Amino acid sequence: SAVVFPKKIATEQQSLMLVKRLLAVAVSCITYLRGIFPESAYGTRYMDDICVKILREDKNCPGSTQLVKWMLGCYDALQKKYFNNYWLCLQTVTECYHFKFKYTHNGPLLDFGSKDKKSESPISCADTKKASILLIRKIYILMQNLSPLPSDVCLTMKLLYYDEVTPPDYQPPGFKEAEDRGLLFREEPMYLNVGEVPTPFHMLKLKITTEKHRMENVDKNILKQGETAESPQVGGVSRDNPEEIQDM
């Protein structure tokens, strides 16, 4: 069905449903625009006035079916409030899409990754809708401007958890404990802060890491230089080269 924005987000369940849908839209847009799966693996939906492609199980495309199952595992961990980081990686590693989650009952920090921004504000549905649409639009713009991926690209997914609340033996359906948490880039990486979406109960934030040379054809007006921040080092992203982080 269409990605419908509720008129109000009064309950945690309403917020959770919206975050799940937004994650599905974002992952589907990324894989579609980067040419990971064939057209048959997607259905067409609408998010406000934006036409989006949503990944679905396709018997002729085992990879899309596997990713859908992984997403359902993500939902399980998200609903239990266990996981805080989600990595969609095109190895070895060519691109990494880093989704970060935070749960709160008192209103989210507008930028929970910054030590300098401590103000808390009530989040309206209008704020959430505006941020959601802006995030998807930014994904579309960036994906259409990145250099093509290698023909032999492989997609992997990693989840990281809040250790203080997650049972030691917990693994969501479709996942197993990772043997190696490191993400190593062959080329010099560039880190991009794409955007964040707040609700009164959740915060979703997206960062993209890609090989710097893939950004060479991107119009400089698309990228706006932002304040320096830490690279997404959770999961062992290689930091052998000087980091460069920009806000879109």
Side-chain angles (χ1 to χ4, degrees):
S1 62
V3 181
V4 179
F5 290 94
K7 293 182 179 180
K8 64 177 181 177
I9 302 176
T11 68
E12 187 172 353
Q13 186 60 34
Q14 290 173 326
S15 174
L16 177 65
M17 182 62 67
L18 181 61
V19 171
K20 285 180 178 180
R21 288 177 177 175
L22 185 57
L23 179 61
V25 171
V27 171
S28 297
C29 287
I30 290 168
T31 57
Y32 179 78
L33 293 169
R34 296 308 273 146
I36 304 299
F37 303 117
E39 184 79 25
S40 61
Y42 298 87
T44 301
R45 299 290 184 269
Y46 286 87
M47 181 177 177
D48 201 56
D49 62 340
I50 306 174
C51 178
V52 295
K53 296 291 185 177
I54 302 295
L55 193 67
R56 62 187 179 188
E57 293 186 78
D58 179 3
K59 63 181 181 180
N60 296 319
C61 182
S64 69
T65 299
Q66 181 63 61
L67 184 52
V68 168
K69 292 180 178 179
W70 284 348
M71 292 299 296
L72 294 177
C74 291
Y75 292 166
D76 184 81
L78 183 62
Q79 187 163 340
K80 290 181 169 66
K81 301 183 182 181
Y82 288 164
F83 94 108
N84 63 353
N85 282 272
Y86 160 54
W87 301 78
L88 184 66
C89 308
L90 306 179
Q91 63 181 27
T92 344
V93 169
T94 302
E95 292 174 8
C96 179
Y97 300 87
H98 173 210
F99 294 84
K100 187 171 183 180
F101 299 85
K102 184 165 183 168
Y103 317 91
T104 175
H105 295 289
N106 301 314
L109 298 178
L110 294 185
D111 183 352
F112 62 85
S114 171
K115 297 179 180 178
D116 298 326
K117 299 178 182 179
K118 296 295 186 181
S119 61
E120 295 185 6
S121 304
I123 302 300
S124 69
C125 267
D127 293 331
T128 299
K129 180 177 179 179
K130 181 178 179 181
S132 299
I133 293 174
L134 182 60
L135 180 70
I136 298 304
R137 288 190 187 278
K138 286 183 175 181
I139 291 174
Y140 263 75
I141 291 172
L142 184 57
M143 296 300 98
Q144 291 172 334
N145 282 273
L146 287 176
S147 298
L149 291 168
S151 58
D152 60 346
V153 70
C154 177
L155 184 148
T156 60
M157 186 182 294
K158 292 176 180 282
L159 304 184
L160 291 95
Y161 309 100
Y162 288 109
D163 292 335
E164 62 272 20
V165 296
T166 305
D169 59 348
Y170 172 77
Q171 293 296 338
F175 288 84
K176 63 180 181 180
E177 186 172 356
E179 297 177 359
D180 179 12
R181 297 178 65 188
L183 302 176
L184 301 177
F185 284 80
R186 288 180 180 174
E187 307 284 344
E188 179 181 357
M190 172 182 280
Y191 306 93
L192 301 172
N193 294 318
V194 180
E196 58 190 41
V197 178
T199 83
F201 301 91
H202 298 85
M203 170 73 86
L204 181 153
K205 192 170 187 177
L206 172 60
K207 295 182 179 181
I208 294 177
T209 308
T210 185
E211 293 171 337
K212 190 173 182 178
H213 71 87
R214 297 187 182 279
M215 300 296 299
E216 292 176 353
N217 296 326
V218 177
D219 188 330
K220 298 303 179 184
N221 292 325
I222 293 176
L223 302 177
K224 181 178 66 176
Q225 181 68 44
E227 54 186 327
T228 302
E230 289 186 8
S231 64
Q233 58 186 346
V234 177
V237 171
S238 173
R239 297 179 63 185
D240 296 334
N241 298 299
E243 62 195 58
E244 182 173 352
I245 299 186
Q246 299 185 346
D247 289 325
M248 286 187 65

